[in-house]
Amino acid sequence: MTGNWWKPVAGTPIPDTQAPTVPSNVTATAVSSSQINLTWSASTDNVGVTGYNVFRNGTQLQNTTGTSFTDTGLTPSTTYSYTVKAFDAAGNVSANSSSASATTLTGTPTTGNLALGKPAVASSVEAAGFEAAKAFDGNATTRWASVEGSDPQWIYVDLGSIQTINNVKLIWEAAYGKKYKIQVSTDSSAPTNWVDVFSTTVGDGGTDTISFADKPARYVRMYGTGRGTAYGYSLFTFEVSASTAKSLNQLEIINDINEVVDAENIQIEIVPEPVSELPQNES
C-alpha cells in the first residue's frame, strides 16, 4: 500500500496533577504597631505557579501573585504566625511553608491631628466640591477626589512649621490607592525634596493607620502610583500626628539644655519647700 495512509488521532490531554514546590525562606518583619511585612522565595511548578495563599495564625488572608505581602490593621505588642502555600492554574496546592512569626511594636498614644484645618495642595481635583482642603477639614462626609483614570496623583498638607511626626491616618472613599507612599519634606516652601517614610503595593481601601519612626516634617504627602479602581484617588480624612509632638525649635532647645548640663556636669536636686505651720484656731 502506498501513499499517506496513516493519520494520527489526538489523544486525551494528560491532566496536570503536580503541585508547586513549597515556598521557602518565609520571613516576617514587624515595621510598626499595626503592620507586619512578609517575604518568601518563589516556588516552582511543572507548568507554572499562579499565586500564593497567605495564612495568619492558620486563617487564610488573601491570594497574591508576588512573593511579598503586607499585613495591616494588627494589634500592638501581639505575636502573629504566618505560613504560605503556592498554587497553579489547575488548582494544585503545595503543602504549607515553614511558619514565620513576628511581634508588632508597642503602640504609643498619639497627639491630636496636626493637619486639621491646615493648607493643602493636590495634583488634581475631580470637580468643584472635592478640593484638597476637604481631606483636612475634620468633616467625615466631605472628601478630596482626584481626576479619574490617571496615575500618579498626590495630595499634601502644610503643617506650618517643622514637627516631629510618626503617624498618618487615611480614610479612603471607594476610590482608594492600592500602590502609594507617605512622604515628608522639611523644605521651607513649595516642597520639592521628599523622603519616603512608608510605601505599599497592596492597599485595600478603608482606613489605613500608618506608624513609622519619628521624622521631622513640615509637609506630609500621600503619593499614589496605582489606583485600586478605575476611578481616581479619594480621601475623606488625612490625619497627621505624633506620640510626642514637638516643633523643631523645641527640640533644639531641649538638646541645648542637655548639652550644657552634660558639659558642666551639673547636678540638679529638687527640694520641696517645707509647708509652713498652720495657724492655731483661736478659741
Side-chain angles (χ1 to χ4, degrees), residues 122-128 130-132 143-154 175-176 224 227 229-235:
S123 53
S124 67
V125 175
E126 180 183 357
F130 299 104
E131 295 80 10
R143 60 187 175 94
W144 162 70
S146 73
V147 296
E148 297 180 356
S150 177
D151 289 306
Q153 297 291 329
W154 48 261
Y176 67 91
R227 290 163 288 120
T229 69
Y231 301 102
Y233 297 82
S234 186
L235 285 168

Side-chain angles (χ1 to χ4, degrees), residues 172-258:
W172 297 95
E173 194 254 354
Y176 67 91
K178 182 177 182 180
K179 300 178 182 180
Y180 69 88
K181 300 177 180 181
I182 299 299
Q183 302 174 313
V184 298
S185 173
T186 56
D187 290 351
S188 58
S189 63
T192 57
N193 300 294
W194 295 98
V195 175
D196 296 348
V197 295
F198 171 83
S199 66
T200 183
T201 59
V202 292
D204 57 1
T207 299
D208 291 340
T209 301
I210 302 159
S211 298
F212 44 87
D214 286 356
K215 291 291 182 180
R218 172 173 174 175
Y219 301 92
V220 185
R221 177 167 77 167
M222 186 289 297
Y223 187 84
T225 58
R227 290 163 288 120
T229 69
Y231 301 102
Y233 297 82
S234 186
L235 285 168
F236 287 113
T237 298
F238 187 155
E239 295 183 359
V240 178
S241 56
S243 57
T244 307
K246 299 182 181 71
S247 70
L248 188 60
N249 288 337
Q250 288 174 309
L251 292 173
E252 290 174 345
I253 291 171
I254 293 171
N255 288 337
D256 289 344
I257 292 173
N258 289 337

Side-chain angles (χ1 to χ4, degrees), residues 88-109:
D88 61 21
N92 301 305
V93 182
S94 76
N96 260 324
S97 69
S98 298
S99 64
S101 299
T103 302
T104 49
L105 306 183
T106 302
T108 54

Side-chain angles (χ1 to χ4, degrees), residues 112-119 133-139 157-159 237-241:
N113 179 14
L114 302 175
L116 182 63
K118 297 298 176 63
K134 301 295 184 181
F136 305 97
D137 62 3
N139 188 333
V157 62
D158 179 359
L159 301 180
T237 298
F238 187 155
E239 295 183 359
V240 178
S241 56

Side-chain angles (χ1 to χ4, degrees), residues 149-166:
S150 177
D151 289 306
Q153 297 291 329
W154 48 261
I155 179 173
Y156 72 73
V157 62
D158 179 359
L159 301 180
S161 63
I162 297 176
Q163 303 287 329
T164 300
I165 67 167
N166 60 16

